[in-house]
Amino acid sequence: MKILVPVKRVVDYNVKVRVKSDGTGVDIANVKMSMNPFDEIAVEEAVRLKEKGAATEVIAVSCGVTQCQETLRTAMAIGADRAILVETDAELQPLAVAKLLKALVDKEQPGLIILGKQAIDDDCNQTGQMLAALADLPQATFASKVEVADGKAKVTREVDGGLETLAISIPAVITTDLRLNEPRYVTLPNIMKAKKKPLETVKPADLGVDVAPRIKTLKVSEPPKRSAGIKVPDVATLVSKLKNDAKVI
């Protein structure tokens, strides 16, 4: 069984994001980029399934600019066997990414597609669900535990009231939550091995997919700065300020 793992190149989670002065977007010039943390968890889970004998091959996929090759090399250093880069300079929105992944699913015929539940840059939480709909596959989102046996995947997922366990037939789409696993530390020997693993590059046109944006970003702005707190002399003043100034009661 093949496992397809889409990974996204995003601004590193340790970096303080700054908005461009003209409000057109986020400034990513000279900013450290890394793999989306939820996708890193997805790669780790796919590699663990391979190590257990539930899968034979792990394929990492990324859609975006040429520098996404670095993200794919990281995925291969974790344990992916090969990688595919869908190279484009266009702004990719969740629907376009889902269509590109659907084309690759048709080509590669994986048993599982495991991806992060959301990216930490746009926080859309849409790509996995859109892919499942386009490919007409069963899905299990926000997975905190995954077991594969007898042609089925048993997925424990986090819901508001606690945990829910689903049994879904394979092939299927699974999106990962934070508590699924702890990604392994990438060692230098594995980084060197990853440089020799195959990395295929294709264009959206090769897959027959139109990636033109459907949504236009009008403006990006930073949240308003918090004002300093104040001390009040008594409860009556507190209630008055909450009611009249803050308008929360």
Side-chain angles (χ1 to χ4, degrees), residues 48-206:
R48 289 187 187 188
L49 287 170
K50 184 189 171 189
E51 289 170 347
K52 290 176 185 173
T56 54
E57 186 180 30
V58 176
I59 309 161
V61 179
S62 192
C63 306
V65 294
T66 307
Q67 291 90 328
C68 290
Q69 291 185 18
E70 301 165 15
T71 309
L72 290 170
R73 293 292 178 196
T74 301
M76 289 190 283
I78 294 172
D81 299 291
R82 60 186 172 95
I84 302 170
L85 170 62
V86 183
E87 189 177 1
T88 175
D89 292 326
E91 178 198 349
L92 291 175
Q93 293 172 352
L95 180 59
V97 176
K99 287 180 177 178
L100 292 170
L101 294 177
K102 198 268 182 185
L104 290 173
V105 167
D106 292 342
K107 178 183 173 185
E108 296 289 344
Q109 296 293 308
L112 281 178
I113 304 99
I114 306 179
L115 65 163
K117 69 171 184 177
Q118 65 194 82
I120 61 170
D121 52 2
D122 56 21
D123 269 339
C124 282
N125 185 5
Q126 295 173 346
T127 305
Q129 293 89 326
M130 287 178 170
L131 173 60
L134 291 171
D136 195 23
L137 294 174
Q139 63 176 310
T141 55
F142 316 129
S144 60
K145 186 178 180 182
V146 176
E147 297 171 315
V148 178
D150 304 323
K152 286 189 178 295
K154 187 177 170 185
V155 180
T156 303
R157 60 189 301 268
E158 301 192 358
V159 295
D160 289 342
L163 299 176
E164 177 182 63
T165 302
L166 302 177
I168 54 177
S169 56
I170 290 173
V173 176
I174 297 173
T175 71
T176 63
D177 213 333
L178 276 176
R179 279 159 287 280
L180 180 57
N181 62 51
E182 178 88 26
R184 68 193 68 188
Y185 179 75
V186 180
T187 61
L188 183 59
N190 286 337
I191 293 172
M192 301 307 292
K193 287 177 189 173
K195 292 182 179 179
K196 298 179 180 178
K197 291 182 179 179
L199 195 159
E200 178 188 356
T201 301
V202 297
K203 301 285 186 183
D206 301 334

